[in-house]
Amino acid sequence: MSPWEDAALASLFPTADALPERVRVKPEAHRPRWLVDGEIREAAGSARPVTSRLATRSAAGLAPTLLGEEAMLTVEQAQAAVAAATRAWKQGEGEWPAASFSQRTRAVERFAKAVEAKTDDIATLLMWEIGKAWPSARDEVTRSVEYIHDTLAELKRLHDEDFTLQTGTAGQKKHHARTTRRPLGKVLCVAPFNYPVNEFLTTVVPALLMGNVVLAKTPRFGVLANLVLVEAFRDCFPRGVVSLLPGDGRVVIPAVMGGVEKDLHGNPSAVIDVLAFIGSEGAANAILKTHPVPITLHKVLGLGAKNVAAVLPGADLDAASTALVKGALGFNGQRCTAEKLVFVHRSIADAFVAKLAAKTQALKVGMPWDEGVTATPLPEEPKLPWMRELLDDAAAKGARVVNEGGGKGTFSLMRPAVVYPVKEGMRLFHEEQFGPVLAVAVFDDAGEVLDWQRRSPYGQQAAVWGPLDTAAPLVRAFARFVARVNYNDVCQRGPDSFGFTATDKSGFGTLSLREALLAFSRPVLVQSPEAAALDVMTPGAA
Ligand code: G3H
């Protein structure tokens, strides 16, 4: 038996009989559906069972739990969605792209209500599909509903600002102008499994609000949670404006991205105008290569990250250790913003690591519906073997797991591990683990931490913990390499009014309430020496 096996954890998985009533899922209710051309269709023939790594325990052992079915769309079905989207877009003159801001706003308000009404259904599926603990699963939905309302308010502000009369002079001549915004076209949205609903809606909703037509590839884990919204999408938006595309991304995404039309000259013109993608760098690169006319593609990408935290002498070790255990191990470390490497100054390293170990040890392991649980089943089957490879590699090169039982597990459950001291040459020093492993390295001089960041291909966020006088130069230095530096706080996406962005291989473009609206639209100016004329002729004036 592997030294990492902890068979005792098997008892935490429920038997079919012992499952609490409120979390039961009826597989027959989750048919292999998809949304195309304003119709909910059931995949004829080609579907796969959707199973959960929240295993069911029986005398035979642990086995994945059946949740429902996913439609495995063919290339032809994906192309049918592209054709429907093209009809809905109608060169920018379709019903939705040509609708007024207030018409679109009303549709999105209706949609927000429909999402809110399904909060518990979606959260229940998030528990099953990705193992997210109940409070966080609910929070993912409520945060998304708030995001929609905040985006609506931001759109109003943006519209008012844009629409304000501008006056300029060129030579002796006076010019007046008003600006409006128009959609970019057909948007492919691809969301990740760790926030399959929230990071789906945070791209889909701003894209729709600005008048675009959306083809949304549902994530591999979280597909059923998103399909809870299939009726709402059908009922709130005109035919073809939203397509929900389940299935194998390697089949569906190239079929959508590769869509080509002919322009006036008979030259190829791409169907997809915008890619909004949150996931891995490798997948993003593969997708981008399938676009036929790359210069016309707008993109917003949220990719991998290996955020570091630096803990300096004089830092509040209690506050920093509590926050970093949550920052690194919250949702089992499966957050792009998680601290994936914590550098601690040698003078405080032993004391700090002891606190990290004790606080990690106290984290409750169990099922997502268990009260106070932190460590829950991991949705990806190869995740446990991969985490163990990283731990074995670190151990072979001189580090050790400092919390008792850390790294041990069974089936899809793993006790979170604190590994120390992680050094150059170990995989954990540079590889994004995206799992329940808190890697701790030691430094003597802050220059070593900066040297790591300078050489890292990632550039999302960093965190600095310590007194103002010693932290300030480090914060300033980090600001040259990452997109956000957090002082005495963990790395995180929120609040949503702040821009969420990254540099280098961690991302491209910014998502926030305002920036997302800008990312899915372009400004159009109407100018004239006759100011009064602009009141009636600028699009959006009515
Ligand atoms: O996985 C990446 C998410 O955008 C992280 O968001 O910091 O709110 O957990 P969060």
Side-chain angles (χ1 to χ4, degrees), residues 143 194-195 199 335-337 492-494 500:
R143 175 180 176 178
N194 61 338
Y195 279 92
E199 294 197 344
R335 294 166 53 241
C336 60
T337 44
Q492 60 205 291
R493 175 179 163 130
F500 183 56

Side-chain angles (χ1 to χ4, degrees), residues 315-316 323 463-468 471 486-490:
D316 178 339
V464 178
W465 296 79
L468 185 65
N486 303 277
Y487 172 53
N488 283 343
D489 202 355
V490 286

Side-chain angles (χ1 to χ4, degrees), residues 56-102:
T56 306
R57 181 161 48 91
S58 70
L62 297 174
T65 309
L66 182 67
L67 301 178
E69 284 185 278
E70 176 181 11
M72 300 304 282
L73 298 189
T74 60
V75 168
E76 292 70 30
Q77 287 170 321
Q79 286 169 342
V82 171
T86 305
R87 287 192 293 278
W89 172 247
K90 211 176 157 191
Q91 307 287 1
E93 295 181 294
E95 178 187 347
W96 184 252
S100 66
F101 278 105
S102 58

Side-chain angles (χ1 to χ4, degrees), residues 187-320:
V187 181
L188 172 62
C189 294
V190 187
F193 84 78
N194 61 338
Y195 279 92
V197 172
N198 177 262
E199 294 197 344
F200 180 74
L201 294 178
T202 55
T203 53
V204 168
V205 167
L208 287 172
L209 262 177
M210 298 316 283
N212 299 282
V213 169
V214 168
L215 293 127
K217 169 70 187 74
T218 52
R220 186 157 62 103
F221 306 110
V223 57
L224 300 183
N226 274 318
L227 284 169
V228 168
L229 298 175
V230 70
E231 286 90 359
F233 276 118
R234 179 197 59 192
D235 298 343
C236 296
F237 303 102
R239 170 179 286 263
V241 167
V242 181
S243 305
L244 290 188
L245 309 175
D248 184 346
R250 289 163 301 183
V251 174
V252 174
I253 294 175
V256 173
M257 277 294 271
V260 189
E261 296 165 334
K262 287 246 184 308
D263 71 11
L264 184 64
H265 307 282
N267 292 327
S269 125
V271 173
I272 296 300
D273 302 289
V274 189
L275 172 68
F277 174 88
I278 303 174
S280 74
E281 172 204 336
N285 259 330
I287 294 171
L288 288 168
K289 284 183 186 144
T290 62
H291 193 267
V293 193
I295 54 155
T296 63
L297 183 73
H298 300 250
K299 54 188 198 285
V300 184
L301 309 174
L303 307 173
K306 179 102 179 163
N307 292 343
V308 294
V311 185
L312 306 177
D316 178 339
L317 299 192
D318 280 318

Side-chain angles (χ1 to χ4, degrees), residues 11 27 61 126 170 324 386:
S11 65
L126 288 177
L324 285 170
W386 176 28

